[in-house]
Amino acid sequence: MPLALLALAVVAFGIGTTEFVSMGLLPQIADGVGVSVPQAGNLVSAYALGVVVGAPLLTGLGAKIPHKRLLLLLAGLFVVGNVASAVAPGFGTLFAARVLAGLPHGALFGVGAVVASRLVAPERAARAVSTMFLGLTVANIVGVPAGTALGQQFGWRSAYLAVAVIGLVALASLARLVPHQPRAEGAGIRHELKAMGNRHIAIGLATAVVGFGGCFAVYSYLVPMLTEVTGMASSSTTLVLALYGVGMTLGTLLAGPMTDRALRPTLYGGLAVMAVVLFAFYFAVQHTVTALVCVLLIGAMGSFITTPVQMLLMAKAEQAPTMAAASNHSAFNLANAGGAWLGGLVISAGWGWASPALVGASLAAVGLGLAVVGGVMDGGRGPKERGERSTVVAGAGADAGSAPGVGAQVAEAERAG
């Protein structure tokens, strides 16, 4: 495994920690800046807003900047955003700081995914991308609980400062380990936007928004579902969320090699299993053991489909995959907001605390339908989608001045498809 993938995983670890650590510190933050807990909850939305806006904006502005330099600039902005969060004197400035911290999120993942896919042979591209995503899943097991405990013990500002330190470590790792990857001649925002302007990208992003919305419809209300329906003690919910993170890690580990072997079947299977598990959770949540098994599986399937969606979008964007890869993370955050909103609607309508599971199953099923529509639009491409992966790595030759032998590998992969 190239050491550069470790640097990218550290970036993902920092992003995952800062994205979710606020949720566990809302009471402390509310007290610290003099607002109510629901008002403090808007800080989570502020970060998501930064992701949705920043992914296409910063990727477009950096379209001519070599990938390594762009990664360093984005990581620097990530550090600044978290330091600003730690020193914000009031709620308004903290809200703005969380938007700032979220701005580089999608672009970092997008550029990082393209860089990761170009560090390895074509047949291992998805495994490389999933290795980077492991940093995000480990953050849910280690980073978020540790950051929450730190913030509760030493004040919420210490959690953001700790994330800033992680960002500095990531910055140093990127500078030391990631190789130079110059942009292709003629690269620019028009080139990226032109690559985005096809129906395959649109259907892929729609699949991400709707399919992932199913996962977030349940995740957003997981704690009250387990305490109100399952009857678990609130003190045990931290361990349950860690279990969800373990599931995410397992799903990411499985997704890489399976996506390399068969991209679309992996995507179809992940969405189908997610729909079934979410539907089963509506009944399983009544009992502790079955509820915990489903929590593990929901976490696994949520992260499992991340890699094939990411690789599919990068492939369909052909020679300019960075904007598509970054926009995928805008789609994830729209899914987060939409899934949480729909889950809240059915709870408010009196359908019960378990009802978001039915919403989630429905959204996952619709996401599967959209994915199948995308496959039909391809006109019967081969099940392994090798030609698509080759297109992504072929871009590496154009952008990075690939070493002798890479072109032959790409051609061989295309013939195999």
Side-chain angles (χ1 to χ4, degrees):
M1 179 183 74
L3 286 177
L5 291 177
L6 178 60
L8 294 170
V10 173
V11 173
F13 179 83
I15 290 174
T17 301
T18 200
E19 182 177 16
F20 297 111
V21 75
S22 298
M23 298 177 185
L25 296 173
L26 291 182
Q28 289 80 12
I29 294 173
D31 288 341
V33 296
V35 299
S36 67
V37 172
Q39 283 179 292
N42 290 326
L43 296 173
V44 178
S45 301
Y47 185 90
L49 175 64
V51 178
V52 172
V53 173
L57 177 64
L58 296 183
T59 303
L61 291 175
K64 290 189 175 183
I65 301 175
H67 284 135
K68 179 174 181 176
R69 187 183 307 167
L70 183 55
L71 282 172
L72 294 175
L73 290 171
L74 292 169
L77 181 59
F78 172 82
V79 172
V80 170
N82 282 283
V83 170
S85 300
V87 301
F91 179 74
T93 50
L94 181 56
F95 187 95
R98 295 315 292 160
V99 174
L100 179 64
L103 285 176
H105 175 128
L108 272 169
F109 268 120
V111 178
V114 173
V115 170
S117 70
R118 296 173 178 179
L119 291 170
V120 296
E123 65 273 11
R124 298 184 63 85
R127 269 168 279 198
V129 173
S130 67
T131 299
M132 180 187 70
F133 285 157
L134 277 176
L136 180 62
T137 67
V138 172
N140 282 271
I141 302 173
V142 179
V144 176
T148 301
L150 183 69
Q152 290 172 344
Q153 185 69 29
F154 299 103
W156 60 270
R157 297 179 189 276
S158 65
Y160 292 134
L161 283 175
V163 172
V165 171
I166 295 171
L168 288 174
V169 173
L171 192 61
S173 301
L174 292 171
R176 178 70 179 86
L177 300 175
V178 173
H180 179 58
Q181 291 188 354
R183 295 280 190 167
E185 214 177 302
I189 187 168
R190 290 184 180 179
H191 189 54
E192 292 281 350
L193 290 176
K194 182 179 179 181
M196 288 283 291
N198 68 67
R199 58 183 183 174
H200 296 290
I201 296 296
I203 200 75
L205 290 174
T207 300
V209 171
V210 178
F212 279 97
C215 181
F216 285 119
V218 170
Y219 183 75
S220 302
Y221 302 97
L222 189 57
V223 170
M225 289 170 74
L226 292 173
T227 54
E228 298 293 333
V229 182
T230 314
M232 295 181 64
S234 57
S235 59
S236 63
T237 55
T238 301
L239 294 175
V240 173
L241 293 177
L243 178 65
Y244 185 93
V246 171
M248 290 179 65
T249 302
L250 294 174
T252 302
L253 288 170
L254 288 172
M258 292 183 69
T259 301
D260 276 327
R261 294 190 62 179
L263 195 159
R264 282 199 182 274
T266 300
L267 177 59
Y268 298 157
L271 286 166
V273 173
M274 179 185 287
V276 171
V277 171
L278 289 171
F279 180 75
F281 188 54
Y282 179 76
F283 305 97
V285 75
Q286 303 290 336
H287 306 284
T288 301
V289 174
T290 53
L292 293 179
V293 170
C294 283
V295 166
L296 181 72
L297 292 175
I298 293 169
M301 289 301 102
S303 64
F304 181 84
I305 61 178
T306 301
T307 299
V309 170
Q310 186 82 82
M311 297 302 295
L312 183 64
L313 288 171
M314 289 164 59
K316 293 304 180 185
E318 298 178 347
Q319 297 301 313
T322 311
M323 181 73 79
S327 296
N328 193 29
H329 296 277
S330 292
F332 292 163
N333 279 268
L334 289 174
N336 192 345
W341 177 67
L342 290 173
L345 278 183
V346 294
I347 292 173
S348 299
W351 288 21
W353 282 107
S355 58
L358 298 179
V359 173
S362 301
L363 289 173
V366 174
L368 174 59
L370 289 170
V372 171
V373 168
V376 172
M377 285 165 53
D378 268 351
R381 293 286 300 276
K384 291 190 178 182
E385 301 284 334
R386 287 187 177 178
E388 291 186 341
R389 290 201 315 277
S390 299
T391 303
V392 176
V393 184
D399 279 7
S402 52
V406 172
Q409 289 175 332
V410 171
E412 179 62 30
E414 288 173 340
R415 287 195 296 272

